[in-house]
Amino acid sequence: MKKTFWEIQREKKRAITLLFLFFFPFFTFSLAVLFEILRFSSVSLFFKDAKFSEFLIVSSVISLIVFFISVKGSSEGKIYRYLEMLNAQVPDLKDMKHQQVANVVREMAIAAAVPKPRVYVIPVLGKNAFSAFNIIAITEGAVSALDRDELQAVVAHEMAHYLRGDSYYKGVLSSFAMTITFFLTISLFFAGGDENSERRGFGGGFIGIAVVAYIFLVELFTKFLNALISRRMEDLADAMAVQFTRNPLSLASALFKVSRDRVRGISLLTNPAVAPLFIVNPARKQIDESSGVFGDIFATHPPINKRINTLLKLAGVSRKELVERTSPVRNNREWWVEKQDENLGPFTLEELLEKTWIGEGVKIRGKEGEVKLSQILSKFRPIEGQCPRCGGPLFNTYYDFVPIIKCGRCGGILVREDRIMRILARGENQITEAEEKVSESSLEKERKTFYIHGASPEAVDASQPLKCPFCGGEMWRKFFNFINYVPVDYCPKCKYYFFDSGEIEMIIAGVKRTKYLYR
Amino acid sequence: MIGVLIIFAILAIVVIWYIATYNRFVRLRQRVKNAWAQIDVQLKRRHDLIPNLVETVKGYAAHERETLTAVTEARAKAASAPSPQEAIKAEGELTEALRRLLLVVENYPNLKADQHFLQLMEDLRTTENSIAFARQAYNDQSMVFNSQIKKIPDSIVASQMRLKEYPFWEIEEAAAEEREAPEVKF
Ligand SMILES: [Zn+2]
Ligand SMILES: [Zn+2]
Ligand SMILES: [Zn+2]
């Protein structure tokens, strides 16, 4: 029997409600038992004569207090600080990909009949997304790798969390877990007993072992319950996302792409306080990937393959078709480039403009015969100022939708500082294998220069600084970063980088290589 | 004494249930109304977008005059429809005309390399999506509402509040093919 997403939703909602109903008495009861234990131990001089029922009342009052404090106090400030730390930005509307993000968020808010949440893009290469309170954040890596429908599906999943207020519930759960740990730690401390007191506590005897076992079990069970609720929330969010988009396949292919992300584990997103909020667990543990027994018990996210299979069943599509669908195809490849007697291509027009190694010295052939780079560029808007390297004309163009400024003569590009991460993220899909090889070898040369000269002015050749085309000031010559040692020019006043012909490809190849190291 | 307490407790539970259910219905009804209001907002947005779109496409594909005039005319008709029924019909025609325009544009690969044009396409796409999603949301919300007010014992509160079922918005043929209609049993 094929289930509809409505049926899945009802099932999961019921499971979550039942689990929450169970969590409260479980917490209260475990706490009361703990007090009872404390009564036997040396600290209990205060409530020696208390009854178990009184403990129950006390612990239910405590759980109510914890509940209200965590609902009221789950501050959005913490999330904003986290976003600030990650340097998250509102979408850059001049960048079409970012505009799509803003648009799909608006569309999904309409589909879910909720007010539009705030959107942020995190300039991180890992592919992920999260929602907390009224915020939906998505990483640059995900924005670059996913197509419009897939972005929509990911946003729909986050919109479901936002609509249900899952981040509040997750906050409540974690503060319950924290309170239990707090009391458990205290009791563990006191259960050892006091040598000088007339009551010796449990010491190391049989009861002592039993107490430690009890404490261990309660902690374990709390974690288990927490993870169980969190996973049902993820399943529910998936089913609701399908309700909003009516397109289970796009969520399946988004999860498929995200799950094969090589940099998931090394990004800044693994902070355990926020990890459960993401669409796939950023702290890539074996546990989330396998569907074995342990995977099912303690993971905050359901096994991603199980999620994909559920969605594929809803879509009526086989896994094989999904894999075929997600492999990239490009149309309109009609441009060839001749460089050093080698015929390279075919490229699309957009790809052609992205390659910084294409300058005056290379021959470009299109359908209408040979053309010059400046001729192609002339249909873009020219800007005032001249190329800092060769004095050629500058044009406003795009690197996979990221606005850049390109020289019509030498092929060098100027990029605003805050957009560089986006180019690196999108470069992974744009750069060809041959380019990667060439760039790798030039990268190796730069590394050697660095090893000979060290981080001295000779290594970056700062003797003749370039003139910034916008403010006329002198540009700094520095290493782009200290992993790849590519020397680049930077205007600190205008916050623009200038990359010479071929340099951006070198940096992208370097980023790709470092990512492979972490595979 | 205990008997009185029990009766009192039961009464309290009933009152709390009544208030909670009442509030839930108010909330659900508000969501249906919001979803309905969004349809209008998004249709208006589309009307505002069309002149700009037509101008741009004219610049690149002037000989597609027929398709372009169809769009302009459908918009004018929808904007000046005398009755809601006719407005719905005219909006459907406009959707059709725009869909044809999108198909025509596919034949102009040069257009697709143009950022300004891509920008307009994205605007159009998000507007078309928004309209479809607004209708879908209205149907989803009213379906949830309709089934909730029939549930026993909540239906008692619903009849007290004189709540009525909301009618569904018929989704046009072409759109229905793309989006699987929700099959629900409550
Ligand atoms: Zn999620
Ligand atoms: Zn130049
Ligand atoms: Zn400057």
Side-chain angles (χ1 to χ4, degrees):
Chain A
M1 243 302 277
K2 193 180 137 187
K3 275 186 210 147
T4 65
F5 56 81
W6 294 105
E7 282 161 342
I8 297 177
Q9 277 187 30
R10 262 189 310 156
E11 236 169 58
K12 303 295 172 194
K13 275 181 194 165
R14 201 174 299 148
I16 291 169
T17 316
L18 281 176
L19 284 169
F20 263 104
L21 285 180
F22 182 70
F23 200 85
F24 204 73
F26 162 73
F27 178 82
T28 307
F29 187 76
S30 323
L31 215 55
V33 171
L34 246 177
F35 288 141
E36 185 72 21
I37 290 170
L38 285 179
R39 188 158 71 102
F40 279 113
S41 68
S42 49
V43 273
S44 64
L45 296 170
F46 300 106
F47 35 80
K48 229 179 352 202
D49 305 316
K51 288 196 199 81
F52 187 66
S53 57
E54 286 167 0
F55 284 143
L56 268 180
I57 293 170
V58 169
S59 59
S60 30
V61 170
I62 290 178
S63 30
L64 277 176
I65 291 172
V66 169
F67 180 79
F68 282 113
I69 287 180
S70 56
V71 167
K72 288 276 165 215
S74 47
S75 67
E76 292 164 31
K78 215 163 78 189
I79 295 293
Y80 278 113
R81 268 198 301 281
Y82 178 63
L83 284 173
E84 209 169 284
M85 190 188 87
L86 291 170
N87 196 18
Q89 309 277 331
V90 292
D92 172 5
L93 293 183
K94 280 197 179 138
D95 176 341
M96 268 264 290
K97 271 294 202 172
H98 277 208
Q99 204 184 14
Q100 277 186 358
V101 173
N103 283 348
V104 293
V105 169
R106 203 176 46 86
E107 287 166 27
M108 286 302 100
I110 292 172
V114 290
K116 193 171 93 65
R118 288 162 181 267
V119 208
Y120 287 94
V121 180
I122 307 171
V124 162
L125 293 178
K127 306 182 184 80
N128 224 325
F130 79 88
S131 74
F133 313 110
N134 62 340
I135 298 157
I136 288 183
I138 184 160
T139 65
E140 192 53 56
V143 173
S144 303
L146 304 179
D147 67 23
R148 197 182 193 284
D149 286 347
E150 289 161 348
L151 276 176
Q152 195 174 54
V154 167
V155 167
H157 173 103
E158 299 308 335
M159 198 65 75
H161 285 312
Y162 163 59
L163 167 66
R164 304 252 320 154
D166 283 352
S167 58
Y168 287 96
Y169 289 120
K170 282 183 184 177
V172 170
L173 283 182
S174 72
S175 41
F176 269 113
M178 255 154 59
T179 314
I180 277 210
T181 312
F182 172 74
F183 280 108
L184 290 175
T185 318
I186 287 187
S187 58
L188 202 58
F189 182 71
F190 285 117
D194 183 352
E195 294 286 337
N196 304 321
S197 152
E198 52 178 284
R199 287 164 110 173
R200 282 208 61 245
F202 300 118
F206 172 75
I207 306 176
I209 294 172
V211 170
V212 173
Y214 170 76
I215 289 168
F216 178 72
L217 276 177
V218 169
E219 270 225 65
L220 210 62
F221 195 71
T222 311
K223 265 194 197 137
F224 161 73
L225 217 55
N226 238 325
L228 197 65
I229 294 178
S230 172
R231 289 202 306 273
R232 291 297 86 82
M233 283 177 171
E234 291 307 316
D235 285 336
L236 176 60
D238 282 352
M240 289 174 79
V242 176
Q243 180 207 326
F244 300 152
T245 62
R246 293 294 203 276
N247 187 350
L249 189 56
S250 60
L251 184 56
S253 68
L255 287 177
F256 182 70
K257 277 187 187 171
V258 170
S259 69
R260 300 193 319 164
D261 187 0
R262 293 191 300 265
V263 279
R264 218 184 331 151
I266 57 159
S267 44
L268 281 163
L269 315 174
T270 45
N271 184 342
V274 288
L277 300 173
F278 282 90
I279 188 164
V280 290
N281 191 349
R284 179 193 207 136
K285 286 193 193 117
Q286 212 43 45
I287 243 178
D288 281 316
E289 310 305 324
S290 67
S291 39
V293 185
F294 290 111
D296 272 345
I297 290 182
F298 289 115
T300 52
H301 287 62
I304 202 150
N305 276 330
K306 210 162 138 195
R307 289 167 73 184
I308 293 175
N309 287 341
T310 311
L311 291 163
L312 286 178
K313 221 183 269 167
L314 280 174
V317 168
S318 75
R319 207 183 164 85
K320 195 168 150 254
E321 282 171 272
L322 175 76
V323 175
E324 278 164 14
R325 223 186 79 104
T326 43
S327 43
V329 235
R330 282 180 181 275
N331 312 315
N332 299 320
R333 291 177 177 276
E334 52 193 23
W335 297 87
W336 290 86
V337 179
E338 201 175 300
K339 197 192 184 189
Q340 286 154 2
D341 295 330
E342 253 190 285
N343 220 357
L344 303 165
F347 300 118
T348 65
L349 182 60
E350 297 88 75
E351 283 172 325
L352 192 76
L353 294 175
E354 282 158 11
K355 315 287 178 202
T356 67
W357 49 266
I358 297 178
E360 202 79 309
V362 294
K363 279 183 187 160
I364 305 169
R365 268 181 298 107
K367 268 202 299 211
E368 282 108 34
E370 212 163 288
V371 279
K372 280 196 168 149
L373 176 66
S374 51
Q375 277 175 298
I376 299 174
L377 275 170
S378 62
K379 63 178 273 210
F380 287 86
R381 206 148 51 86
I383 63 160
E384 295 223 350
Q386 287 162 345
C387 170
R389 175 64 69 207
C390 71
L394 295 173
F395 298 92
N396 269 327
T397 154
Y398 295 86
Y399 189 103
D400 198 15
F401 300 121
V402 184
I404 58 169
I405 294 162
K406 192 178 172 85
C407 168
R409 195 182 295 162
C410 68
I413 60 170
L414 284 148
V415 186
R416 216 172 72 191
E417 191 173 21
D418 58 329
R419 291 179 175 147
I420 286 177
M421 190 53 97
R422 268 181 263 164
I423 291 192
L424 298 189
R426 293 179 204 183
E428 194 184 349
N429 314 321
Q430 306 301 98
I431 194 168
T432 64
E433 242 168 74
E435 273 179 279
E436 206 180 323
K437 230 176 245 163
V438 174
S439 307
E440 280 254 5
S441 68
S442 1
L443 198 58
E444 214 41 60
K445 241 181 263 162
E446 296 288 351
R447 288 178 83 91
K448 280 196 190 115
T449 324
F450 173 76
Y451 290 136
I452 293 166
H453 297 289
S456 65
E458 284 84 43
V460 290
D461 184 19
S463 56
Q464 284 176 314
L466 298 182
K467 282 237 156 36
C468 170
F470 311 116
C471 68
E474 279 188 0
M475 293 179 94
W476 291 356
R477 187 127 181 97
K478 61 167 199 167
F479 288 123
F480 180 69
N481 59 29
F482 283 93
I483 303 170
N484 298 314
Y485 311 111
V486 178
V488 296
D489 302 282
Y490 174 65
C491 174
K493 208 169 142 208
C494 311
K495 305 252 185 292
Y496 262 88
Y497 273 94
F498 177 73
F499 297 96
D500 274 311
S501 176
E503 272 175 358
I504 197 80
E505 282 88 355
M506 275 161 67
I507 292 168
I508 291 168
V511 170
K512 261 185 131 166
R513 184 174 57 183
T514 14
K515 274 160 79 173
Y516 279 116
L517 292 180
Y518 290 95
R519 184 143 66 168
Chain B
M1 180 59 196
I2 283 177
V4 176
L5 270 180
I6 288 176
I7 291 172
F8 199 74
I10 290 176
L11 262 176
I13 288 172
V14 168
V15 169
I16 289 171
W17 165 78
Y18 191 92
I19 294 171
T21 315
Y22 186 93
N23 283 337
R24 191 160 50 90
F25 282 147
V26 170
R27 223 168 40 234
L28 284 174
R29 187 173 55 185
Q30 196 49 47
R31 296 193 68 189
V32 180
K33 282 183 179 164
N34 287 348
W36 179 255
Q38 269 301 321
I39 300 179
D40 271 347
V41 172
Q42 297 309 322
L43 286 175
K44 189 155 279 150
R45 212 181 119 103
R46 175 161 78 172
H47 288 179
D48 296 343
L49 186 71
I50 283 174
N52 202 350
L53 174 79
V54 168
E55 271 315 300
T56 309
V57 178
K58 240 185 216 162
Y60 292 94
H63 43 279
E64 301 293 350
R65 187 144 292 152
E66 244 175 78
T67 331
L68 289 171
T69 11
V71 172
T72 320
E73 274 169 13
R75 178 196 179 264
K77 223 162 115 191
S80 62
S83 70
Q85 282 83 3
E86 269 169 82
I88 289 175
K89 203 170 149 251
E91 291 293 350
E93 276 165 29
L94 182 54
T95 304
E96 265 315 302
L98 282 171
R99 204 167 280 143
R100 268 200 306 280
L101 181 64
L102 280 178
L103 279 180
V104 164
V105 161
E106 284 291 307
N107 301 327
Y108 293 82
N110 284 348
L111 271 178
K112 285 193 232 156
D114 186 289
Q115 292 285 334
H116 183 58
F117 178 74
L118 285 177
Q119 173 66 50
L120 262 174
M121 281 297 109
E122 174 60 29
D123 284 348
L124 184 62
R125 187 158 182 199
T126 189
T127 310
E128 288 300 301
N129 280 355
S130 301
I131 292 169
F133 284 131
R135 286 178 189 165
Q136 176 191 297
Y138 168 76
N139 277 354
D140 285 357
Q141 295 308 323
S142 48
M143 185 198 65
V144 169
F145 180 84
N146 293 349
S147 68
Q148 291 283 320
I149 60 170
K150 273 186 285 191
K151 244 190 206 153
I152 298 168
D154 299 6
S155 53
I156 302 166
V157 185
S159 64
Q160 285 274 314
M161 291 170 77
R162 295 172 202 285
L163 297 178
K164 287 215 176 59
E165 286 190 27
Y166 281 95
F168 286 112
W169 177 298
E170 302 294 331
I171 297 176
E172 303 115 76
E173 286 293 306
E177 269 168 38
E178 285 164 24
R179 302 176 191 291
E180 181 193 354
E183 348 160 354
V184 231
K185 292 164 278 170
F186 273 100

